[in-house]
Amino acid sequence: MYSIKVASRKTGIEPVTIRAWERRYGVIEPKRTDAGFRLYTDEDVADLKWLKHQVEEEGLSISQAAKQLKQRKQEQFPAFKQNNGIRTVNNNDSIPPLSELAEKLHDAIDSFDVERADQLLETGFSMYPFDELFHHVLTPLMHRIGDEWEEGTISVAQEHFASHLFRQRLYQFFKVFSMNPNLPNALALCPPGENHEIGLLLFSLFLKRKGVGVIYLGANTPTHGLEKIIVENDIRIVFFSMTRSENAEALRELILLLKEQFPGLKIVLGGQGVPSDDEVLQHFYLKDQPADWETWFGQLSVLKN
């Protein structure tokens, strides 16, 4: 993700011109930070370069070039339509439904087509809010790919390819959101033996979007030294992700130890590996549904200051 200054440097187009093309022709729609600053994707930069080439090298007017770009987008994704140059979501299927996007992305992963997969992701992020795409495309797709790997219908290489692709995309958003100093700091990690971090990334991004400062430790994190991190960084929330039920006993002991040392610490546990009959772990368990996350976050006001 790039600021307008960086996008200008990469494309050779002045910021004032980029803004004018956005307003008049609607061919580029940058994302926005919570503070309202523009952020451009690699696809946006590529589109700007293409427009510049058409105007400077092919002799087209910007309006002609913009029209051609819209046609290219429609050919690339037939279900994607534009209304007077503005991308819309409505009940007339003016953009591809999430299920269609997920299927096309699955096919790209199945054939190791990284260029196509990146293209589909860029298209999805340009049309849907990132959390909607995460919850309704990326998360179900990762579960599906995991099931297919266990069933032997896809290879371990395909599963690793998908995980790497999604991790790269999710990491890009970590630098987008600003921190609210009035909100508590959080620590996110997968305990030892846990290598699947997509759910951890999703929840960390949810927190960061809300303004929470998140220290992200990632997959298979050793637990030695966690107490020091919590104290030195004034951590008020620790989020664990567990996808392997065999790690339940060790994680239960760790959580009870942390609660004993830090009684006011808020501990959250997610992941499909949490046993339903483990009363201790279920006490900290948070479902992976956006509505549940919103409800949980609404209760964090008691941790401020």
Side-chain angles (χ1 to χ4, degrees):
M1 306 290 285
Y2 311 109
S3 67
I4 192 168
K5 182 177 180 180
V6 175
S8 174
R9 186 170 68 246
K10 284 179 170 288
T11 60
I13 304 172
E14 291 295 324
V16 64
T17 302
I18 295 176
R19 294 189 189 96
W21 288 1
E22 292 171 14
R23 290 194 303 268
R24 297 174 187 172
Y25 306 105
V27 289
I28 303 297
E29 292 187 33
K31 297 175 177 63
R32 299 270 185 166
T33 67
D34 291 343
F37 295 108
R38 288 174 168 84
L39 290 171
Y40 297 84
T41 64
D42 288 326
E43 184 185 16
D44 292 331
V45 170
D47 288 344
L48 287 168
K49 287 180 178 179
W50 188 88
L51 289 169
K52 184 172 185 275
H53 175 81
Q54 298 303 312
V55 172
E56 296 183 355
E57 304 297 331
E58 303 298 330
L60 297 182
S61 67
I62 182 57
S63 62
Q64 291 172 325
K67 184 177 180 180
Q68 286 193 15
L69 181 60
K70 294 171 191 175
Q71 291 173 343
R72 282 162 54 92
K73 294 286 188 181
Q74 286 182 310
E75 291 170 0
Q76 171 188 328
F77 220 128
F80 172 50
K81 299 177 182 178
Q82 296 193 1
N83 179 22
N84 295 324
I86 304 299
R87 291 169 181 170
T88 59
V89 181
N90 55 41
N91 295 326
N92 296 322
D93 296 326
S94 60
I95 64 171
L98 290 168
S99 58
E100 178 184 336
L101 186 63
E103 284 302 319
K104 289 180 179 290
L105 190 54
H106 182 274
D107 291 343
I109 291 170
D110 190 56
S111 58
F112 294 99
D113 191 341
V114 63
E115 182 176 351
R116 176 62 171 159
D118 277 333
Q119 190 179 64
L120 288 166
L121 286 170
E122 289 291 352
T123 301
F125 281 115
S126 72
M127 294 184 295
Y128 290 100
F130 84 91
D131 50 351
E132 187 173 348
L133 198 71
F134 288 171
H135 285 297
H136 299 293
V137 175
L138 300 190
T139 299
L141 192 53
M142 284 306 301
H143 288 162
R144 174 182 174 183
I145 289 171
D147 291 341
E148 290 174 343
W149 172 73
E150 289 183 355
E151 295 167 359
T153 55
I154 66 169
S155 67
V156 65
Q158 288 168 312
E159 191 274 338
H160 284 184
F161 173 73
S163 296
H164 178 68
L165 179 74
F166 293 163
R167 279 199 303 270
Q168 280 190 318
R169 182 63 56 171
L170 296 175
Y171 284 143
Q172 290 181 355
F173 285 92
F174 265 75
K175 57 187 177 183
V176 171
F177 306 112
S178 58
M179 177 181 170
N180 183 344
N182 294 319
L183 291 177
N185 295 327
L187 183 67
L189 66 146
C190 293
E194 293 286 346
N195 294 304
H196 296 281
E197 60 177 319
I198 298 299
L200 186 77
L201 279 166
L202 287 171
F203 190 72
S204 297
L205 283 168
F206 169 80
L207 292 177
K208 286 184 70 68
R209 188 184 185 194
K210 296 293 188 180
V212 175
V214 180
I215 296 178
Y216 184 82
L217 301 183
N220 196 28
T221 301
T223 57
H224 178 72
L226 284 184
E227 296 90 343
K228 183 178 180 181
I229 297 175
I230 291 171
V231 171
E232 292 183 351
N233 295 277
D234 190 24
I235 298 297
R236 305 292 185 88
I237 308 166
V238 176
F239 178 68
F240 295 101
S241 178
M242 188 179 78
T243 59
R244 299 169 62 89
S245 58
E246 56 265 36
N247 294 322
E249 182 177 354
L251 183 55
R252 186 190 319 114
E253 293 179 1
L254 174 61
I255 288 176
L256 292 175
L257 177 62
L258 290 176
K259 289 297 291 184
E260 181 180 351
Q261 291 180 286
F262 308 99
L265 186 67
K266 182 75 172 180
I267 293 179
V268 187
L269 177 59
Q272 58 184 354
V274 181
S276 59
D277 59 349
D278 191 314
E279 294 184 3
V280 173
L281 295 183
Q282 281 294 321
H283 177 73
F284 302 101
Y285 180 67
L286 179 63
K287 295 180 181 179
D288 62 356
Q289 298 301 313
D292 294 304
W293 291 9
E294 291 288 350
T295 300
W296 172 86
F297 185 79
Q299 301 169 352
L300 282 184
S301 58
V302 296
L303 296 178
K304 294 180 182 180
N305 302 321

